Amino acid sequence: MEIIQGGVTAAKGFKAAGLAAGIKKKNGKKDMAMVVSEKPCVTAGTFTQNRVFAAPVKWDRDIVYNQEYSQAVVVNSGIANACTGVEGDNACALEAETAAEALGIPAKSVLLGSTGVIGMQLPMDVMCEGIKKLPYLLDSTLEAGTLAAEAIMTTDTRDKQVACTVEIGGKKVTVGGMCKGAGMIHPNMATMLCFITTDVAIEKKALQKMTSEIVSDTFNMISVDGDTSTNDTALVMANGLAENPVITEDSEEYGVFYEALFYVFRELSKKIAGDGEGCTCLFEVKVKGAVDKENAKILAKSVCTSNLTKCAIFGHDANWGRILCALGYSGADFDPEKVDIFFESEAGSLQIVKDGVATDYSEEKATEILSKNPVTAVCDVKMGDATATAWGCDLTFDYIKINADYRS
Amino acid sequence: MEIIQGGVTAAKGFKAAGLAAGIKKKNGKKDMAMVVSEKPCVTAGTFTQNRVFAAPVKWDRDIVYNQEYSQAVVVNSGIANACTGVEGDNACALEAETAAEALGIPAKSVLLGSTGVIGMQLPMDVMCEGIKKLPYLLDSTLEAGTLAAEAIMTTDTRDKQVACTVEIGGKKVTVGGMCKGAGMIHPNMATMLCFITTDVAIEKKALQKMTSEIVSDTFNMISVDGDTSTNDTALVMANGLAENPVITEDSEEYGVFYEALFYVFRELSKKIAGDGEGCTCLFEVKVKGAVDKENAKILAKSVCTSNLTKCAIFGHDANWGRILCALGYSGADFDPEKVDIFFESEAGSLQIVKDGVATDYSEEKATEILSKNPVTAVCDVKMGDATATAWGCDLTFDYIKINADYRS
């Protein structure tokens, strides 16, 4: 596997564009993106498990579950089109029809994504004007991918793109993706918005299986604030232009592509956690020695989402008691008197707790380690062989600042 | 029922004291409290469900579950005596023995409470010196109760006391209590530390049943930061000095005393939520029309613990989308398209959402309502008759400030 530059335009046959349509009137920032494949794509997706789900989630679910192919994605930022009733559903249909006409493809092959304020209706005149302009800006360059990645940002401080290549059956296969998300991040089956494109040839069923499995180990293991969004959507589009032998669930090459797709998902997940609203660092929690994978995940997520632990990380304070406390209330199976805890970063590794009580560690060294980005806490519960990793960030003054008056 | 001044010394036959023993060396603040009954007390208690529980929790559980009576409580603040291994257990035994000797009662009738930093050992010389001094300061005045309530504070900004009287069988029965807690508040069977005293005559079994039921509707419905403490303890001591006919589970008067005890528990719960670390207001979430009590509780707690909603409350921003989103990811049963949401405070009541979409409400009026303390959000899910109330607070810059370097 080779890591390369780029995002949604890295794979063969994909073009992208981004522009400022005028949804974010106040600041004139980019607010619409389009990604188009030259060939119809086998498509997999995972969506929010929030009972309150946005209109575009409903639209995309129908396409991913009931259509053979998709070919384009239209995304806007600024307004989430969630809690918008029938008017929101109608907006989705109009978006897709407008894009379909402009691109000469069926409306039911146009996937949609929206992110921003919940409860406001989309300004459809502005949206449709944007959708009609975007096809003229489509390009296959990395820069075009970046414009799209920038156009889907809300409180993100940077665009998020990852890509890699892998050889399958003598052919070079490329996977690339972009995502956005900084707040309301506690995915349950998917994160805010993530679009991955690949030129791999693969059966729809195999792609969906792989995507669902990977999401549970990547996007479902990140949290910024414990709030599961109404718009979580992760989509993977595969157009087959790499011309590798078609991958099925039983292919020998299934695992090779799995690894590449996993890499893209995991790195995008870390980019979201590491750009959490107001945060100063990516906070990684590795649990080792759990009785099984499920318990390992529960323990890792509990530490990663503890407000008190996140404040301590912000303060570079080795307050391990909060970590042990968060393990304790997680509900997972472990013995507090067996736990070892280590802090790690580029400044080194330090054991803070051995068998549930503090070691005679240097607070100075601990602070040095905790002052770097990223910071990792390793919790070895010494019960079995299962491991899990969760990603989050510290909780800071700026998180409050951003969220006290998000709408104004 | 009559609401009166006072706390743990309100009921007949209880004395209290508080002093600065020297555990909080840095600031010379009060850090030890003692409450003693002149007669042995029937005792009920609920404790943290965190798998990591402090040594005094272990000590108290044994007394509440296995002893007929208790007669005194010794509490320290500054150090939690949690994650302290065998040394922590030995400290508890020594505390109880020292108090028992000074008071002339059995060690197994001395309840203990500790709160503060996790992972540090108690300075036993300082503790024992304090325990020996406290009996000389014991008094039955309200002021003595206040000294005790102040001595158990950590990041609390004010002491928390509630009392009331009720007539049972022609006798005046008094219930009073004190508690502490401002951070690491997300009780699961009890909160940080709560001590309630009463002169009611009641059977142990009836008192425990009542206490467990009430705690699930009061302390278990508050949250400051989602972190369940290692030290949560709520104790009720009843010395029988009111000389009412002894209350049993089948007594007609069970309900009368239940109401009084419920009042004290609920008001103490609200005092904790309303003094949440760094908060500017008590945030009350009432859910109406849920299919059953369990679903009502889940919905109310989900909104109350949402970081994003709490930031919006801090910003006086009627961001109802976050409330609907938090209802949605709670996992409880409801139909998003039926939900009505209202904001209420002393400035009035305003319907913000009807049937899942925004009403044409005045943002100005909403901000006016949200600028008061306390603030209430009412969510009517219109599915059935069940209701529940949860209490929390807003999330502010000061919460981060307090918790970024709590130990230093």
Side-chain angles (χ1 to χ4, degrees):
Chain A
M1 196 183 73
E2 194 190 340
I3 298 159
I4 60 168
Q5 285 281 307
V8 285
T9 54
K12 260 186 226 164
F14 287 96
K15 290 179 176 175
L19 59 73
I23 304 164
K24 293 179 180 167
K25 275 186 221 102
K26 268 194 206 160
N27 53 27
K29 280 189 181 163
K30 284 193 282 297
D31 50 22
M32 288 202 77
M34 185 178 267
V35 182
V36 181
S37 168
E38 67 180 61
K39 269 190 62 181
C41 299
V42 161
T43 312
T46 60
F47 304 95
T48 183
Q49 293 296 293
N50 194 317
R51 195 177 276 256
V52 178
F53 51 84
V57 166
K58 199 167 154 188
W59 178 270
D60 289 354
R61 271 187 194 149
D62 179 47
I63 294 181
V64 169
Y65 299 158
N66 302 317
Q67 302 291 317
E68 203 61 29
Y69 300 105
S70 72
Q71 198 164 351
V73 187
V74 174
V75 194
N76 76 277
S77 57
I79 293 177
N81 195 7
C83 306
T84 45
V86 177
E87 195 176 335
D89 292 332
N90 292 341
C92 285
L94 183 55
E95 279 178 72
E97 280 156 22
T98 308
E101 195 171 326
L103 297 166
I105 58 173
K108 278 289 180 188
S109 71
V110 179
L111 295 157
L112 303 173
S114 291
T115 176
V117 177
I118 296 175
M120 280 174 69
Q121 300 290 349
L122 287 169
M124 287 312 294
D125 47 344
V126 173
M127 288 286 294
C128 289
E129 210 177 309
I131 292 170
K132 285 174 195 161
K133 274 187 201 160
L134 281 161
Y136 298 103
L137 304 171
L138 286 171
D139 202 344
S140 59
T141 57
L142 298 189
E143 290 70 29
T146 299
L147 289 175
E150 288 169 354
I152 64 173
M153 288 164 56
T154 53
T155 51
D156 308 63
T157 65
R158 45 187 180 268
D159 64 280
K160 302 174 175 67
Q161 302 181 75
V162 174
C164 69
T165 62
V166 68
E167 200 184 288
I168 296 182
K171 303 287 182 181
K172 189 175 87 168
V173 168
T174 303
V175 194
M178 64 178 184
C179 67
K180 64 80 52 183
M184 207 176 260
I185 297 290
H186 186 77
N188 188 4
M189 285 314 287
T191 189
M192 278 297 279
L193 296 179
C194 167
F195 306 100
I196 292 176
T197 55
T198 173
D199 46 25
V200 77
I202 187 166
E203 277 186 352
K204 184 176 168 77
K205 202 176 152 196
L207 185 63
Q208 182 63 52
K209 185 185 169 200
M210 195 180 282
T211 299
S212 296
E213 266 182 49
I214 291 173
V215 163
S216 82
D217 282 342
T218 56
F219 280 129
N220 284 0
M221 293 302 285
I222 64 173
S223 185
V224 167
D225 47 21
D227 283 85
T228 300
S229 151
T230 50
N231 288 53
D232 288 354
T233 300
L235 296 167
V236 184
M237 297 168 71
N239 65 13
L241 287 174
E243 298 185 327
N244 57 291
V246 177
I247 294 172
T248 67
E249 286 178 71
D250 308 317
S251 303
E252 212 175 297
E253 311 289 10
Y254 182 92
V256 181
F257 183 67
Y258 189 104
E259 199 195 338
L261 189 61
F262 190 95
Y263 172 78
V264 171
F265 264 113
R266 190 189 64 204
E267 293 306 309
L268 287 175
S269 296
K270 287 165 71 173
K271 280 178 189 283
I272 287 183
D275 190 28
E277 284 176 344
C279 87
T280 68
C281 76
L282 170 68
F283 177 43
E284 183 176 61
V285 179
K286 288 186 184 170
V287 167
K288 295 174 17 177
V291 288
D292 57 30
K293 180 88 178 179
E294 193 50 33
N295 276 284
K297 281 187 172 184
I298 292 169
L299 291 165
K301 287 183 88 162
S302 188
V303 174
C304 216
T305 56
S306 154
N307 276 353
L308 287 170
T309 301
K310 290 161 64 177
C311 283
I313 297 296
F314 173 50
H316 307 151
D317 178 12
N319 197 325
W320 57 271
R322 293 179 179 171
I323 292 181
L324 205 51
C325 178
L327 293 172
Y329 64 67
S330 70
D333 189 21
F334 78 103
D335 177 354
E337 292 178 10
K338 275 191 181 177
V339 178
D340 292 352
I341 299 176
F342 304 78
F343 283 122
E344 294 178 358
S345 75
E346 64 181 51
S349 174
L350 189 66
Q351 180 160 11
I352 307 284
V353 173
K354 188 174 160 52
D355 297 326
V357 292
T359 61
D360 187 24
Y361 66 89
S362 148
E363 289 282 359
E364 203 181 332
K365 180 68 190 170
T367 302
E368 191 196 334
I369 289 173
L370 292 171
S371 303
K372 302 296 178 181
N373 176 17
V375 163
T376 302
V378 180
C379 307
D380 190 347
V381 297
K382 297 186 284 187
M383 305 276 285
D385 296 325
T387 63
T389 304
W391 296 276
C393 59
D394 53 345
L395 179 57
T396 71
F397 296 111
D398 284 347
Y399 178 85
I400 311 293
K401 196 169 173 184
I402 291 164
N403 286 301
D405 53 358
Y406 176 58
R407 299 188 313 158
S408 50
Chain B
M1 197 183 71
E2 194 191 339
I3 297 159
I4 59 168
Q5 286 280 308
V8 286
T9 54
K12 261 186 228 166
F14 286 96
K15 290 180 176 173
L19 60 72
I23 303 164
K24 293 180 180 168
K25 274 184 222 107
K26 269 195 205 157
N27 52 27
K29 282 189 181 162
K30 284 194 282 296
D31 49 22
M32 287 201 79
M34 185 178 268
V35 182
V36 180
S37 168
E38 65 181 61
K39 269 190 60 182
C41 299
V42 161
T43 311
T46 60
F47 303 95
T48 184
Q49 293 296 295
N50 194 317
R51 195 176 276 256
V52 178
F53 51 85
V57 166
K58 198 167 154 189
W59 178 269
D60 290 353
R61 270 187 195 150
D62 179 48
I63 293 181
V64 170
Y65 300 158
N66 303 316
Q67 301 291 317
E68 204 61 30
Y69 301 105
S70 73
Q71 198 165 350
V73 186
V74 174
V75 195
N76 76 276
S77 56
I79 292 177
N81 194 8
C83 306
T84 44
V86 177
E87 195 175 334
D89 292 332
N90 292 342
C92 286
L94 184 54
E95 279 178 72
E97 281 156 21
T98 308
E101 195 171 326
L103 296 166
I105 58 173
K108 277 288 179 188
S109 71
V110 179
L111 295 156
L112 303 173
S114 291
T115 175
V117 177
I118 296 174
M120 280 174 69
Q121 300 290 349
L122 286 168
M124 286 313 293
D125 47 344
V126 174
M127 288 286 294
C128 289
E129 211 178 310
I131 292 170
K132 285 173 195 161
K133 274 185 201 159
L134 281 161
Y136 297 102
L137 304 170
L138 286 171
D139 202 344
S140 58
T141 58
L142 298 189
E143 291 68 31
T146 300
L147 289 176
E150 288 170 354
I152 65 173
M153 289 164 55
T154 52
T155 52
D156 308 63
T157 64
R158 45 188 179 265
D159 64 280
K160 301 173 174 72
Q161 302 182 75
V162 174
C164 69
T165 63
V166 69
E167 201 184 289
I168 296 181
K171 302 288 181 179
K172 189 176 88 171
V173 168
T174 304
V175 194
M178 64 177 184
C179 66
K180 63 81 51 184
M184 207 178 261
I185 297 290
H186 185 78
N188 188 4
M189 284 315 287
T191 188
M192 278 297 278
L193 295 179
C194 167
F195 307 99
I196 292 177
T197 56
T198 173
D199 45 26
V200 78
I202 187 166
E203 278 188 350
K204 185 178 169 76
K205 203 176 150 195
L207 186 63
Q208 181 64 53
K209 185 187 169 198
M210 195 179 282
T211 299
S212 297
E213 266 182 49
I214 291 173
V215 163
S216 81
D217 282 341
T218 56
F219 281 129
N220 285 0
M221 292 302 285
I222 63 174
S223 185
V224 168
D225 48 20
D227 283 84
T228 300
S229 151
T230 48
N231 288 52
D232 288 355
T233 299
L235 296 167
V236 184
M237 296 168 71
N239 64 14
L241 287 175
E243 298 184 327
N244 57 291
V246 177
I247 295 173
T248 66
E249 285 178 71
D250 308 317
S251 302
E252 211 175 298
E253 311 289 11
Y254 182 93
V256 181
F257 184 67
Y258 189 103
E259 198 194 340
L261 189 61
F262 190 94
Y263 172 79
V264 171
F265 264 114
R266 190 190 63 204
E267 294 307 306
L268 288 175
S269 296
K270 287 165 71 174
K271 280 179 190 282
I272 287 184
D275 191 28
E277 283 176 344
C279 86
T280 69
C281 76
L282 170 68
F283 177 43
E284 183 176 62
V285 179
K286 287 186 183 170
V287 167
K288 294 174 19 174
V291 288
D292 57 30
K293 180 89 178 178
E294 193 51 32
N295 276 284
K297 281 187 172 183
I298 292 168
L299 289 166
K301 287 184 88 161
S302 187
V303 174
C304 216
T305 56
S306 153
N307 276 352
L308 287 170
T309 301
K310 290 161 65 177
C311 283
I313 296 297
F314 173 50
H316 308 151
D317 179 12
N319 197 325
W320 57 270
R322 292 179 179 171
I323 292 181
L324 206 51
C325 179
L327 293 171
Y329 64 67
S330 70
D333 189 19
F334 78 104
D335 177 355
E337 292 178 10
K338 276 190 180 177
V339 177
D340 292 352
I341 299 175
F342 304 77
F343 282 121
E344 294 177 358
S345 76
E346 63 181 52
S349 173
L350 189 66
Q351 180 161 12
I352 307 284
V353 172
K354 187 174 160 54
D355 297 326
V357 292
T359 61
D360 187 24
Y361 66 90
S362 147
E363 289 282 359
E364 203 180 333
K365 182 68 189 169
T367 302
E368 191 196 333
I369 290 173
L370 293 171
S371 302
K372 303 295 177 181
N373 175 20
V375 164
T376 302
V378 180
C379 306
D380 189 346
V381 298
K382 298 187 285 186
M383 305 276 285
D385 297 324
T387 63
T389 304
W391 297 277
C393 57
D394 54 344
L395 180 57
T396 71
F397 295 112
D398 284 347
Y399 178 86
I400 310 293
K401 197 169 172 183
I402 291 164
N403 286 300
D405 53 358
Y406 176 58
R407 300 188 312 158
S408 50

